[in-house]
Amino acid sequence: MTGLHALIAQIIKTRSYTLSEKYLMHNALKDYVIAHQDLLTGKCVEVGSFDANGSIRKILPDIIGTDMREGPNVDVVCSAENLAEHFGKEHFDSMVSLDAFEHMQNWRGCLTGMWAALKTGGWLVITMASKHKGRHNYPNDYWRADWEHIFQIWPDAKDMSTFGPSMGWVVRKECDLPDLTKINLIAVP
C-alpha cells in the first residue's frame, strides 16, 4: 500500500481558494469543468444538475441536465440509476457530475446506470465532496471516498485533483465497471 499512497500523493494536485466555501466550490467546480470542457463534447449530460449553488450552463449551454427531482437547471427528472433505461444504453458521448455523487444513496446502482448510459470511448468528468467536507444535505449526504476507492472503481482515472473540500477525476469508458459490491465507500454519520 505504501507504493499506492506515494503514487496518489504524486498525482494529486492541490489548489487553494480564499472566498467563502459555497462561492469557492462553485468557482472551483467551474474551473475543473473549464479545464476539461474539450472532453465534454457531443451529446453531453449533467447528472445531478439541480442548481443548489451554481450552474455550468454558461460553459456547456447544450448540456442535458438530469436530477432525481425537479428544480433549476433540471431538464429531465431521472435518477442516475435509471439513465440507461430512460435514454438508452450508450446514449451519451460525455457525462459530467459535480458534487452529486455523495448524495446518491444507492451509489453502486447510480454508477452502474451512469456507466451504462455513457458510450464506449466517452468521457466522465466527476467531482464529489472529500472526507474534509462536512455533512451537507441537498437533499441528503451519504458517502465520501478516498483515492484508493477511486482507483478500485477506475484504475485508469486521470487528472485526480483536490480543490477546497472536493475531489475530482476524469475517466474514459473503455471497459466495464468492476464488481462494485466489493468496494465500500465511507458512510457519512
Side-chain angles (χ1 to χ4, degrees):
M1 283 302 220
T2 307
L4 178 59
H5 290 322
L7 175 65
I8 292 169
Q10 195 174 21
I11 292 172
I12 296 173
K13 299 175 207 150
T14 59
R15 300 174 187 158
S16 62
Y17 294 84
T18 57
L19 302 174
S20 72
E21 182 176 312
K22 185 172 181 178
Y23 185 71
L24 169 158
M25 290 312 303
H26 173 62
N27 284 327
L29 296 177
K30 278 195 332 189
D31 290 347
Y32 197 73
V33 171
I34 289 168
H36 297 94
Q37 74 184 90
D38 60 318
L39 304 177
L40 298 170
T41 60
K43 195 177 292 185
C44 184
V45 64
E46 181 181 9
V47 179
S49 66
F50 184 94
D51 185 353
N53 62 357
S55 171
I56 58 171
R57 293 278 172 134
K58 288 184 180 177
I59 303 165
L60 301 168
D62 297 326
I63 198 164
I64 299 167
T66 65
D67 203 285
M68 62 179 225
R69 60 185 173 157
E70 290 183 352
N73 293 320
V74 177
D75 301 309
V76 178
V77 175
C78 179
S79 159
E81 296 170 80
N82 299 318
L83 284 173
E85 292 158 11
H86 185 87
F87 292 100
K89 290 186 178 184
E90 301 224 355
H91 182 78
F92 294 105
D93 300 297
S94 58
M95 185 175 288
V96 61
S97 183
L98 303 175
D99 279 11
F101 185 53
E102 68 267 20
H103 302 291
M104 298 176 185
Q105 187 172 13
N106 178 8
W107 71 268
R108 292 176 182 95
C110 290
L111 280 189
T112 300
M114 291 166 64
W115 207 243
L118 184 63
K119 290 180 181 177
T120 300
W123 288 95
L124 169 63
V125 175
I126 186 168
T127 70
M128 73 177 291
S130 74
K131 296 184 292 185
H132 305 291
K133 185 167 187 170
R135 183 177 192 75
H136 56 289
N137 292 327
Y138 301 127
N140 210 335
D141 189 12
Y142 300 102
W143 309 108
R144 297 293 184 269
D146 57 31
W147 293 115
E148 290 180 42
H149 295 115
I150 303 312
F151 282 126
Q152 288 175 334
I153 300 168
W154 295 290
D156 57 344
K158 297 169 178 34
D159 196 21
M160 283 87 51
S161 299
T162 57
F163 32 88
S166 288
M167 55 195 287
W169 62 98
V170 175
V171 64
R172 187 172 199 167
K173 182 179 176 181
E174 295 177 332
C175 60
D176 293 334
L177 290 173
D179 181 356
L180 297 177
T181 63
K182 296 182 180 184
I183 301 168
N184 294 305
L185 298 183
I186 303 160
V188 174

